[in-house]
Amino acid sequence: MIRLSDTENSPIDANITLFGMRIARTTMQNAVTTVLGWCETERGESCRYVVTPNTDHAVLFQGRDDFRDAYNSASLVLADGTPLVWASRILGRKLPERVAGSDFIPALFAATTSTLRVFLLGAAPGIADEAARRIERRWPRVQVVGTYAPPVGFDNHADEDRRTLSAVSAAQHDLLIVGLGAPRQELWVAKHCHELSAKAAICAGATIDFLAGYRRRSPLWMRRAGLEWLHRVCSQPRRLAGRYLRDAFVFPQLLWQEWRRSTM
Ligand code: UDP
C-alpha cells in the first residue's frame, strides 16, 4: 500500500487495485525519483519497502494471509510482470508501463546524484560479493557497504534469523536489496521493517544474480513480448515448471473473475 506520507512530495499520484493487490500507477522514472527521495531523507518510523509483483505473486496473494499482509504494509508496489500490465489494460485500470525490479534497481543506481550506500542480502554465497564489485565499477556513486548470504531455511530458525538481522544492521546503509525469492523476501522485510536501519528496502528476487552476471535475463524481445517467464522456466525447469504450470492455470481464472466483477 502506498501510505499517503510515503508519497507526499513524490511524483506518484495513485494506485490501482488488481487481483486484490494495490499497484502504483507509476512510470519507472517516477518510481526511481520516489525511492531515491526516501534514501536521501531521514528514515521514517520504519524502513519503507518496495515489492514487485508478477503473475506468481498474484496467485500467491489469493491464498496466503501472511503474504497479503506483507504486501499491504509495503510503501510501494511496482508492476514487475508484463501480464499484470496487460491485465490492467484489459480491465480498464491502465498502468502506464512495467516497472520490473531487475530494471528498477540499475535505473536507481544510474540516477543517484549523491553517494548511495547499499547492502545486498541474499543469493548463493559469493554471488553478492561479485555483484558488489560489478556495481561499484559500473556506478561509482553506489557504495556496497555489506553483503550477506543467509543459509537456506534461515527464516525458520530464530538464531539464524537474528544473525541475519544483525549482519544487515551492522553496516550503515541507505538502501537494502533483498534477493531471497518470493514469498520469503517479502515476509522477512515485513517482519523486520521496524528494526532495519535502512531508509528503504527493495524485494528484488533474482536481481543480485543478474547484477553478478551469475544468471542471465531473457532477451529484450522476450521481455517485451511478456515471455520472461518462459525464459525462466527453460533455465530452471525443475524448480519452476510446476509453479508456472499452476500459474498458467490459475492466472487466467483470476483475470476472468476480475473482469466479471468489473462488468457487473
Ligand atoms: N535465495 C536465497 N536464499 C533462499 C532462497 C533463495 O538467497 O533461501 C535467492 C536465490 O539464490 C536467488 C533468489 O533468492 O538469488 C531467487 O530469486 P528468484 O526471483 O528466482 O526467486 P522466486 O521469487 O522466483 O522464487
Side-chain angles (χ1 to χ4, degrees):
M1 175 172 63
I2 296 185
R3 295 176 294 234
L4 193 59
S5 58
D6 291 335
T7 52
E8 269 169 19
N9 308 318
S10 105
I12 293 175
D13 46 44
N15 290 308
I16 64 159
T17 304
L18 210 55
F19 314 117
M21 301 182 293
R22 283 165 191 272
I23 302 182
R25 184 179 265 152
T26 181
T27 58
M28 173 73 78
Q29 167 115 46
N30 285 349
V32 163
T33 305
T34 298
V35 175
L36 281 181
W38 297 345
C39 291
E40 284 161 5
T41 50
E42 288 292 298
R43 177 183 176 278
E45 63 191 35
S46 67
C47 170
R48 291 160 162 153
Y49 63 91
V50 181
V51 294
T52 56
N54 56 23
T55 45
D56 189 51
H57 293 206
V59 171
L60 273 180
F61 189 93
Q62 310 307 311
R64 287 193 58 155
D65 290 345
D66 53 357
F67 193 56
R68 261 200 301 274
D69 290 346
Y71 254 72
N72 289 338
S73 302
S75 291
L76 183 58
V77 182
L78 298 175
D80 183 288
T82 303
L84 293 184
V85 178
W86 288 342
S88 77
R89 292 178 184 174
I90 292 168
L91 295 165
R93 300 165 211 167
K94 195 170 168 215
L95 289 168
E97 63 181 353
R98 177 183 187 210
V99 188
S102 302
D103 297 320
F104 179 61
I105 289 168
L108 203 69
F109 291 167
T112 188
T113 51
S114 52
T115 302
L116 183 68
R117 290 165 308 172
V118 173
F119 192 100
L120 304 178
L121 173 65
I127 303 296
D129 295 327
E130 177 57 25
R133 280 188 285 276
R134 292 184 181 215
I135 289 168
E136 292 187 339
R137 219 179 300 140
R138 182 154 174 210
W139 297 284
R141 287 198 190 92
V142 181
Q143 231 179 56
V144 181
V145 297
T147 68
Y148 187 66
V152 174
F154 78 98
D155 45 329
N156 294 321
H157 298 275
D159 286 358
E160 289 296 352
D161 198 69
R162 278 279 132 201
R163 197 162 308 154
T164 301
L165 189 60
S166 304
V168 173
S169 308
Q172 235 194 6
H173 55 290
D174 307 303
L175 178 67
L176 172 64
I177 294 182
V178 188
L180 297 168
R184 182 174 289 107
Q185 58 200 10
E186 290 80 8
L187 300 182
W188 193 83
V189 172
K191 180 176 166 195
H192 294 298
C193 63
H194 292 283
E195 299 158 282
L196 293 169
S197 61
K199 295 165 183 166
I202 305 173
C203 298
T207 302
I208 298 173
D209 290 345
F210 296 138
L211 288 168
Y214 176 66
R215 266 162 75 180
R216 273 184 192 284
R217 283 189 77 185
S218 60
L220 201 57
W221 70 265
M222 287 186 100
R223 283 181 239 163
R224 289 200 176 129
L227 293 174
E228 195 153 21
W229 63 271
L230 182 62
H231 185 267
R232 297 196 61 190
V233 177
C234 293
S235 45
Q236 295 184 298
R238 285 233 219 127
R239 184 166 89 89
L240 297 177
R243 181 200 294 187
Y244 279 98
L245 210 59
R246 177 200 64 189
D247 293 351
F249 181 69
V250 176
F251 187 73
Q253 293 180 47
L254 292 181
L255 184 56
W256 170 245
Q257 285 161 8
E258 188 105 352
W259 186 77
R260 287 282 304 274
R261 265 200 299 274
S262 68
T263 54
M264 277 197 309

